[in-house]
Amino acid sequence: MPISKCLQKSEPLWKGWDRKAQKNGLRHQVYTVSDDCYVGEWKDNMKHGKGTQIWKKKGAIYEGDWKFGKRDGYGTLSFPDQEMGKPRKVYSGWWKDDKKSGYGIQFFGPKEYYEGEWCGNQRSGWGRMYYSNGDIYEGQWLNNKPHGEGMLRQKNGNRYEGCWRRGMKNGSGRFFHLDHGQLFEGFWVDDVAKCGTMIDFGRDEAPEPTQFPIPKIKILDPDGVLEEALAMFKKTEED
């Protein structure tokens, strides 16, 4: 009895062409329709692994890790600098889902930069900011602004230690006027000190002390009422 075989269907040509067109592994320069250029590793037709992307319009350059088409891992972002004649590093640190996330350093200018934690392209977490005027802030951040506990050290040596909200002094804190040898401790609302006490602090070593020291307040209690009340309070605590 004759044996008949079923002929296998041949694969359409487009499938083979598509398979060959899929980018996997290390590739040399690959250009987009906007003339952007990428050199590096691929997986399933997406940038994946180590690679360098150059955006022609802005001249931006990213060198680092990629994950399924997005910057993910450690990498450096640079922009062209006409004065230097070469790319200037703008950000160096960790990325997640194409955004700055984790620890990284952002350069805002020659003398102004931030080093610390990021989340979703914004300074969030712990970080230290060096301002161009010589001030330094170190502490907690949220949504690109000082928020939480932090310390601002000014160029002249004065410093504020305390609470911050939305980039301003809010809550309890202490301001050391080291140039005058004084310390203010109190409560702030939107950068304005609302109430507190001022005392001399290192006045003898201050470079510009006030003409007269702050007088000490003496509480008069001729009848001993205050002393008696304090004694009763202590007895109550002991009981």
Side-chain angles (χ1 to χ4, degrees):
M1 186 175 179
I3 299 174
S4 60
K5 294 183 179 181
C6 297
L7 297 176
Q8 294 182 352
K9 293 183 179 180
S10 59
E11 185 181 69
L13 292 177
W14 69 266
K15 284 192 175 183
W17 295 335
D18 183 66
R19 189 166 51 250
K20 291 179 180 179
Q22 293 293 315
K23 294 181 280 294
N24 281 287
L26 181 64
R27 288 291 183 98
H28 293 294
Q29 295 178 348
V30 176
Y31 290 89
T32 64
V33 291
S34 57
D35 217 18
D36 297 338
C37 176
Y38 174 79
V39 179
E41 296 177 304
W42 297 77
K43 184 178 181 180
D44 297 333
N45 216 34
M46 291 185 288
K47 302 162 193 170
H48 191 89
K50 301 287 184 182
T52 300
Q53 170 83 29
I54 302 174
W55 290 270
K56 184 179 180 181
K57 187 175 181 180
K58 294 184 178 180
I61 303 172
Y62 172 80
E63 299 176 89
D65 298 324
W66 296 79
K67 188 175 181 180
F68 300 116
K70 295 182 179 181
R71 291 168 289 186
D72 201 299
Y74 190 86
T76 299
L77 179 66
S78 303
F79 281 90
D81 191 311
Q82 301 296 333
E83 295 181 1
M84 296 176 60
K86 59 180 181 180
R88 176 177 55 86
K89 188 185 297 183
V90 174
Y91 175 80
S92 184
W94 293 91
W95 302 72
K96 185 175 179 61
D97 199 24
D98 220 31
K99 296 180 180 179
K100 290 172 273 191
S101 293
Y103 183 85
I105 301 177
Q106 171 88 37
F107 297 91
F108 297 94
K111 297 181 180 180
E112 187 165 296
Y113 65 96
Y114 167 86
E115 56 180 0
E117 296 177 308
W118 296 76
C119 183
N121 267 348
Q122 294 188 323
R123 291 166 283 183
S124 291
W126 180 92
R128 184 187 294 117
M129 180 73 193
Y130 295 84
Y131 296 95
S132 58
N133 63 357
D135 294 349
I136 302 173
Y137 171 81
E138 181 176 357
Q140 295 175 308
W141 293 74
L142 182 65
N143 298 330
N144 262 344
K145 296 179 179 180
H147 191 94
E149 292 291 328
M151 177 181 68
L152 176 67
R153 183 184 294 111
Q154 297 179 338
K155 185 179 180 180
N156 61 3
N158 294 345
R159 70 178 186 272
Y160 168 82
E161 299 175 359
C163 298
W164 297 76
R165 295 290 182 275
R166 307 179 308 280
M168 295 180 287
K169 305 179 191 73
N170 274 285
S172 58
R174 299 186 297 173
F175 197 102
F176 295 83
H177 298 270
L178 299 181
D179 53 346
H180 301 316
Q182 294 177 333
L183 166 63
F184 176 85
E185 188 169 3
F187 194 87
W188 272 260
V189 175
D190 292 346
D191 268 346
V192 179
K194 293 297 184 178
C195 61
T197 57
M198 180 81 83
I199 62 172
D200 285 325
F201 182 84
R203 187 172 182 277
D204 295 336
E205 293 80 22
E208 299 176 8
T210 54
Q211 186 177 359
F212 301 103
I214 298 175
K216 295 182 180 179
I217 300 174
K218 185 177 181 181
I219 300 175
L220 299 177
D221 188 26
D223 298 328
V225 177
L226 180 59
E227 187 176 343
E228 185 180 346
L230 289 172
M232 291 179 63
F233 178 74
K234 289 182 179 178
K235 188 176 183 302
T236 305
E237 279 193 327
E238 290 174 357
D239 295 341

